[in-house]
Amino acid sequence: EDESTPQNKAIRWIVCDDSISVQLLENQDPVSGNLPKQKHGFRLGGDAGEAQVIRRYILAVFSYSTSKVSPWNDSLNFLSPDLHECNWHKNYTRGNFPFGDFDPVGVVCSIDKGELNNGEGVYNEILLNDEDHLLYNLVLNFRIDNDLNGPLPPEIGYLIACNSIGLENNIRLTGSLPQTMGNMTSLFSMALILNGPDFGGELPSSLFQLKNLT
């Protein structure tokens, strides 16, 4: 078995290096086999510990797959073993829809705008973990030149909490969009701009089954 694949690298990271996943796995219930629950989790995917391990695995595969030739310019906190995956981003200041001048790049998690009862838009309620609130949305925002290189892995299609993807100015991305993205039933926005000649191609037919995607 090829240990150099993004999938095998991600599995090794989960079971050997990722403190959060290792703690969940080591505290598996000996009777039911279930992992400890998350604090609140996501609206889609629930609060099961298994859901968090899977989510971290998917994001790890994404990181390894898109650093095929060389590391990203900025790691954006990806693969930080002690940080909740919602903290895997860095804050930039520039005008960029939908965040405005405040533009977090990486994994961005938010709650429903009614959760805090302040009437502000959902994108003002960015959280770094699920300690106090149920998380509603997950955004993959890579609308900067961060030198992502390599293909999007099929595992990205199982990131069911993701409702928006932005990839911009990463000219060394390669390959087509995975057919598995048809599983992303919450996806309503996808921006793929100036990512180079070897990326994209024909859209997978599964995307046309996503009723919320505009």
Side-chain angles (χ1 to χ4, degrees):
E1 190 173 4
D2 187 358
E3 295 185 358
S4 67
T5 66
Q7 291 76 13
N8 284 335
K9 287 181 178 179
I11 290 174
R12 186 166 57 249
W13 179 76
I14 286 287
V15 300
C16 297
D17 301 320
D18 181 22
S19 303
I20 290 177
S21 294
V22 169
Q23 184 175 16
L24 289 169
L25 293 168
E26 287 182 344
N27 288 280
Q28 182 180 33
D29 186 284
V31 177
S32 68
N34 295 332
L35 303 185
K37 288 187 175 183
Q38 305 167 65
K39 291 293 185 179
H40 290 85
F42 275 84
R43 176 176 57 93
L44 289 177
D47 61 357
E50 290 83 353
Q52 184 173 26
V53 173
I54 291 170
R55 189 165 55 246
R56 291 173 75 84
Y57 166 75
I58 292 170
L59 292 169
V61 174
F62 172 80
S63 174
Y64 286 120
S65 184
T66 56
S67 54
K68 181 178 180 180
V69 179
S70 58
W72 298 349
N73 293 336
D74 187 328
S75 71
L76 305 173
N77 289 329
F78 264 68
L79 305 183
S80 296
D82 299 314
L83 291 180
H84 191 282
E85 56 275 18
C86 290
N87 211 332
W88 290 3
H89 65 260
K90 295 285 186 68
N91 296 327
Y92 284 73
T93 302
R94 67 184 192 120
N96 188 11
F97 177 84
F99 301 104
D101 292 335
F102 174 68
D103 186 29
V105 177
V107 178
V108 186
C109 302
S110 60
I111 63 171
D112 180 70
K113 62 184 178 182
E115 284 283 308
L116 297 183
N117 297 315
N118 61 7
E120 296 182 4
V122 66
Y123 287 109
N124 292 330
E125 316 299 358
I126 295 170
L127 296 184
L128 303 182
N129 55 57
D130 65 339
E131 288 288 325
D132 299 315
H133 296 280
L134 176 70
L135 299 169
Y136 273 63
N137 301 311
L138 185 152
V139 173
L140 291 179
N141 182 36
F142 290 87
R143 296 178 66 181
I144 64 166
D145 176 8
N146 201 37
D147 195 25
L148 274 63
N149 53 92
L152 297 184
E155 286 79 4
I156 195 174
Y158 300 102
L159 201 60
I160 59 173
C162 182
N163 68 343
S164 180
I165 298 175
L167 295 167
E168 185 175 322
N169 289 313
N170 290 281
I171 62 172
R172 292 205 294 165
L173 282 172
T174 60
S176 14
L177 300 181
Q179 278 284 353
T180 55
M181 292 181 72
N183 296 303
M184 305 175 78
T185 54
S186 293
L187 193 66
F188 74 84
S189 173
M190 185 166 59
L192 309 173
I193 304 172
L194 302 175
N195 287 305
D198 298 322
F199 176 70
E202 185 176 349
L203 292 176
S205 58
S206 60
L207 283 180
F208 298 98
Q209 307 302 315
L210 299 180
K211 297 179 181 180
N212 296 320
L213 184 60
T214 58

